[in-house]
Amino acid sequence: MPSTARATATHLTRRGLLAAGGALGIGAALAACGSETQGGSSAGASEKGGPWKFTDDRGTVVEAKSTPKNIVAFTGTAAALKDFGIEVKGVFGPTYVEDPKTKEKKPDVQAGDLDIAKVKVIGNVWGEFKIEEYLKLNPDVLITDMWEKNDLWYVPAEQKDKILKIAPSVALWAADRSMPAVLQRHADLAASLGADVKTKQILADKARFEAAAERVRQAAKGKKDIKVLIGSGSPDLFYVSTPVRPTDTLYFKELGVNLVVPTKLDQGGWFEGLSWENVDKYQADVIMLDNRTSALQPEALKAKPTWAALPAVKAGQVIPRVTEPIYSYAKCAPLLEDLAKALENAKKVS
């Protein structure tokens, strides 16, 4: 997930870093790993009309008298559930970007296919969670990501106790697990909520994801000398993400991609922050750049001379990195396809 750059690291400080943007990826990703599931059972939906139970990635057994209908979720999680067939009533987290002149609201990259005009946005930035609006939704369950054990993503720490008294919460790993496992856990949750996760479309999306993964594997095998750096830009620092914790980069590594590994990580073990004067510390042939609205994008980075001088930048070998993936097969397949294409076309420049 992200991050801005204070490497002072108390737990709360790290959360701020992650969200604020910059740090690369805190990786990112969302995700879980292999066939491993945190907390054991994936808990399925009970018979229609019966009690509902789901074991989340904290190992918490979340129960209700009936399958939740009024669902409030972190934006990216809500977008993933939509792709699996589950609609939510409210969201919190980066959902829209407002044009400062026209005030027009456009979906944030983390909103996926959500209709931002139809969901109630009770928080759009880090630290914002409107409890009064949350109460009005009469929530049956709150669902969000977890980047660190028991740390609910985008649920403000100072409001957490009040928020969790209103409705049960479900947390799914968004780090320290590989992408396929995280995808499976999101499918498990959607199924428990009543979705048919074996529709023709979802099975086709899964097949596309698996084909894309194999394409990355073959591309990486043919381009073993191509070094890929996972980066994120902020005004003062450039963050180089470790491939060890983010769910996407964990999977890229498993597929054989030659990823740059930073040597001096922050206390949380997510990234190394480099001054712009030292942005060339690590040689790279391809740069995957944080695509979140909180991070500097290529157009803004043109003002950084040291960025423009990087071999990968000069060669036009910079591609977007979806730092906080939407965990559905429909949204993750294109990420792998884009990486495979970049590897296939990459030239050694470092």
Side-chain angles (χ1 to χ4, degrees):
M1 250 132 247
S3 359
T4 114
R6 294 174 279 225
T8 80
T10 69
H11 182 58
L12 289 177
T13 311
R14 193 203 59 76
R15 289 178 90 238
L17 287 181
L18 288 183
L24 196 122
I26 220 179
L30 280 123
C33 114
S35 59
E36 165 188 335
T37 57
Q38 185 76 12
S41 98
S42 63
S46 305
E47 292 185 16
K48 191 172 182 180
W52 175 80
K53 180 164 67 174
F54 183 83
T55 303
D56 76 357
D57 288 349
R58 296 170 295 186
T60 299
V61 179
V62 188
E63 300 183 73
K65 292 181 180 179
S66 61
T67 303
K69 298 300 180 186
N70 292 343
I71 300 169
V72 177
F74 170 67
T75 302
T77 311
L81 288 174
K82 180 177 177 61
D83 287 349
F84 281 117
I86 297 296
E87 300 283 349
V88 306
K89 292 291 182 66
V91 295
F92 55 96
T95 307
Y96 61 84
V97 179
E98 186 174 79
D99 186 299
K101 294 181 179 179
T102 66
K103 301 301 180 183
E104 179 185 3
K105 295 178 180 178
K106 295 183 178 180
D108 187 274
V109 293
Q110 295 185 60
D113 292 331
L114 291 176
D115 186 338
I116 63 172
K118 291 185 178 180
V119 294
K120 180 66 177 179
V121 181
I122 62 173
N124 191 53
V125 297
W126 182 257
E128 182 181 58
F129 193 108
K130 300 173 184 176
I131 294 182
E132 295 79 7
E133 298 301 320
Y134 180 53
L135 281 166
K136 290 177 184 177
L137 292 171
N138 192 26
D140 295 321
V141 68
L142 179 147
I143 303 172
T144 190
D145 292 339
M146 185 168 64
W147 293 82
E148 300 283 2
K149 184 70 172 179
N150 298 325
D151 194 359
L152 303 185
W153 193 233
Y154 269 80
V155 174
E158 62 276 12
Q159 295 177 283
K160 180 180 175 181
D161 291 344
K162 289 183 180 179
I163 292 168
L164 296 186
K165 286 179 181 177
I166 297 169
S169 62
V170 169
L172 295 182
W173 274 115
D176 299 330
R177 305 289 188 275
S178 183
M179 185 174 275
V182 181
L183 284 164
Q184 184 59 56
R185 289 294 283 153
H186 282 72
D188 291 344
L189 176 58
S192 84
L193 293 169
D196 178 359
V197 297
K198 295 187 181 298
T199 64
K200 184 177 180 180
Q201 183 61 58
I202 291 174
L203 291 177
D205 291 337
K206 185 175 183 180
R208 179 184 173 189
F209 173 83
E210 292 170 345
E214 183 57 28
R215 183 179 168 189
V216 171
R217 191 188 307 277
Q218 294 304 319
K221 188 180 296 184
K223 295 288 184 73
K224 292 181 179 179
D225 62 333
I226 296 296
K227 293 182 180 180
V228 180
L229 183 147
I230 312 296
S232 181
S234 74
D236 299 322
L237 296 174
F238 182 73
Y239 299 92
V240 180
S241 179
T242 176
V244 176
R245 298 201 66 184
T247 61
D248 57 339
T249 54
L250 267 172
Y251 194 40
F252 300 162
K253 192 169 184 291
E254 290 170 5
L255 294 173
V257 179
N258 183 2
L259 295 168
V260 170
V261 180
T263 57
K264 295 183 179 180
L265 299 179
D266 69 298
Q267 188 173 336
W270 291 100
F271 55 85
E272 178 177 354
L274 302 175
S275 68
W276 284 104
E277 291 75 14
N278 297 312
V279 73
D280 60 351
K281 177 177 178 179
Y282 298 104
Q283 293 188 335
D285 303 293
V286 174
I287 296 174
M288 296 186 72
L289 189 68
D290 188 347
N291 77 328
R292 290 170 304 167
T293 53
S294 56
L296 296 183
Q297 298 307 302
E299 189 63 30
L301 288 172
K302 287 180 179 179
K304 305 284 188 184
T306 51
W307 166 260
L310 293 175
V313 177
K314 290 196 290 186
Q317 295 182 169
V318 177
I319 64 171
R321 184 243 180 152
V322 180
T323 303
E324 293 188 52
I326 292 169
Y327 289 107
S328 70
Y329 296 107
K331 296 298 185 295
C332 288
L335 311 187
L336 295 176
E337 291 167 349
D338 290 346
L339 175 57
K341 182 178 179 181
L343 290 173
E344 291 162 355
N345 296 332
K347 296 179 181 179
K348 185 68 179 174
V349 294
S350 64

